[in-house]
């Protein structure tokens, strides 16, 4: 079975799982599937439980590392900004996706029309826009700064003990 077919197979299971959405992903490294994930954000009350993030968590746990350099992510839909950032942090080298952002928005629109609790605070386009803004320019999340000196002292202490 191809990695994309496996991701699609996982996504299809969401219809029978309370609180799951059909966004699934697999991580492939050296030709083997090393991680799998399904969006269980509503089931787990965890907004970070997207298929891509779950697949990365699974792969990292299985491999005992946070370094997935060279891996390929196969996902059933174009990832959101959070998932892209997580892929970049983990070292995912390539993304292969099925549905695009418009397909996903149409699906979520149909879903939220039937289930108001499924409504998102931001569309994927709005999320990308907000994430790309400087920290002090995000209108939906005002910023304050506090404790810089103490935080830097902790960083310095840690670096001295672990360098």
């Amino acid at each position: 079975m191809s990695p994309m077919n496996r991701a699609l197979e996982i996504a299809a299971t969401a219809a029978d799982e309370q609180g799951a959405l059909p966004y699934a992903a697999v991580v492939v490294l050296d030709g083997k599937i090393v991680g799998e994930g399904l969006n269980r954000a509503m089931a787990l009350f965890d907004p970070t439980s997207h298929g891509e993030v779950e697949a990365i968590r699974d792969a990292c746990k299985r491999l005992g590392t946070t370094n997935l350099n060279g891996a390929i992510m196969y996902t059933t839909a174009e990832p959101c900004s959070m998932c892209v950032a997580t892929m970049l942090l983990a070292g995912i080298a390539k993304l292969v996706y099925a549905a695009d952002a418009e397909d996903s928005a149409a699906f979520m629109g149909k879903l939220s029309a039937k289930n108001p609790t499924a409504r998102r605070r931001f569309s994927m386009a709005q999320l990308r826009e907000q994430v790309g803004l400087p920290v002090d320019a995000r209108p939906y999340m005002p910023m304050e700064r506090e404790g810089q000196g103490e935080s830097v002292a902790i960083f310095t202490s840690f670096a001295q003990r672990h360098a």
Side-chain angles (χ1 to χ4, degrees), residues 47-160:
T48 68
S49 181
H50 289 199
E52 298 88 348
V53 172
E54 293 298 329
I56 289 169
R57 287 175 180 159
D58 186 39
C60 289
K61 188 173 183 177
R62 285 188 200 191
L63 299 174
T65 185
T66 58
N67 181 346
L68 300 176
N69 284 346
I72 302 171
M73 173 73 71
Y74 291 82
T75 183
T76 58
E78 183 179 347
C80 73
S81 298
M82 176 189 67
C83 293
V84 170
T86 305
M87 287 185 268
L88 291 168
L89 288 170
I92 300 293
K94 181 179 179 182
L95 168 66
V96 180
Y97 67 96
D100 66 17
E102 289 80 25
D103 298 325
S104 185
F107 162 71
M108 289 304 292
K110 290 176 188 171
L111 186 64
S112 66
K114 292 182 179 181
N115 180 1
T117 62
R119 286 196 180 105
R120 293 182 176 179
R121 182 171 178 202
F122 295 106
S123 69
M124 191 176 345
Q126 291 168 321
L127 180 63
R128 283 186 177 142
E129 178 184 313
Q130 289 298 304
V131 169
L133 293 173
V135 70
D136 60 351
R138 295 185 186 125
Y140 299 104
M141 189 173 59
M143 183 249 335
E144 287 183 23
R145 193 162 178 194
E146 184 178 309
Q148 178 188 10
E150 295 86 350
S151 184
V152 170
I154 292 168
F155 295 163
T156 302
S157 174
F158 186 94
Q160 288 171 345

Side-chain angles (χ1 to χ4, degrees), residues 34-54:
V34 295
E36 298 182 344
L38 177 65
N39 183 313
R40 291 187 173 95
M42 292 186 297
L44 299 175
F45 306 105
D46 177 359
T48 68
S49 181
H50 289 199
E52 298 88 348
V53 172
E54 293 298 329

